[in-house]
Amino acid sequence: FARPLAAAGIPVLAAVALLFAIQDWGFARAGDAIGKGDLATAAADYHMVQRFPFPRPGQDLWLSRQFAAVAAAGKERATLALQLAAEASHRAEQYSEEPFNAYYQSAALAIAVGDTQGGENKLRAAIRLAPTWYRPRLLLAQSLLLRGRTEEGTAQAAAAIDLAGPRREEVERTIRDLVAALGQQDPTGNILNLKLQKGPVR
């Protein structure tokens, strides 16, 4: 009884393995095309792998970062690269085992194209999913401070400092430089000054 079942299952498993292999090949081909600056081929390959029934959120997030790197480099067709990066990070949000990474990526992309409110919403989603991760809080603090929402921005900055661990000094410096550049004051009882422990924020 077991032998016929095993015999029937082998072709199915082989077909699934083949589909995974083709899908991985499609992602790799898209990555190679991005490296060569061929966004049209990269987009075609990525849209091809999206038709497969097995979501690969890690690959989606990786590809999103590759597209974003092209846009950040200021190369031609940066708008298309950002669109593809956002598309890939959105898919990663839906299927990832660590969706907070995908939401953070989506937030950065939204802010980059001027969708500040959308970016902040994504950051809040990332914070809900990973409340002890400092990066979304830091980016949210920066966005809020830049928009003049100083009180809430200061609170998020203070939380980012608390959670930064070995990167505390780097986070402190980032916040201090931004607050100094904006000429803003800390409206919440010098929370930032107490957190920074390095003199008053200018």
Side-chain angles (χ1 to χ4, degrees), residues 32 42 52 54 58 64 82 87 89 92 138 140 142 171-172 193:
D32 289 341
F52 284 70
F54 315 110
S64 175
L82 283 172
E87 181 181 331
S89 66
L138 176 58
L140 181 56
Q142 291 172 299
V171 173
E172 290 173 349
N193 291 345

Side-chain angles (χ1 to χ4, degrees), residues 66-86:
Q66 303 307 305
F67 283 126
V70 171
K75 297 182 179 180
E76 293 182 6
R77 307 184 74 182
T79 300
L80 175 59
L82 283 172
Q83 291 174 350
L84 292 166

Side-chain angles (χ1 to χ4, degrees), residues 36 48-49 65 89 94 99 109 121 127 133 169 171-172:
K36 297 174 182 176
M48 180 270 292
V49 298
R65 290 168 176 161
S89 66
Q94 300 175 62
L109 293 167
N121 291 340
I127 290 169
W133 188 26
E169 185 174 344
V171 173
E172 290 173 349

Side-chain angles (χ1 to χ4, degrees), residues 185-201:
Q185 300 296 321
D186 175 9
T188 58
N190 289 324
I191 289 176
L192 283 185
N193 291 345
L194 294 172
K195 295 292 181 185
L196 295 172
Q197 297 178 354
K198 293 182 179 179
V201 177

Side-chain angles (χ1 to χ4, degrees), residues 39-120:
L39 289 183
T41 297
D45 287 329
Y46 182 50
H47 291 149
M48 180 270 292
V49 298
Q50 289 182 31
R51 301 190 187 101
F52 284 70
F54 315 110
R56 306 298 294 277
Q59 297 278 41
D60 286 307
L61 187 55
W62 171 78
L63 208 55
S64 175
R65 290 168 176 161
Q66 303 307 305
F67 283 126
V70 171
K75 297 182 179 180
E76 293 182 6
R77 307 184 74 182
T79 300
L80 175 59
L82 283 172
Q83 291 174 350
L84 292 166
E87 181 181 331
S89 66
H90 179 67
R91 276 178 56 85
E93 288 175 25
Q94 300 175 62
Y95 302 114
S96 177
E97 293 179 357
E98 296 182 342
F100 53 87
N101 276 317
Y103 276 108
Y104 179 79
Q105 173 75 357
S106 294
L109 293 167
I111 291 172
V113 298
D115 182 10
T116 309
Q117 188 58 58
E120 289 180 6

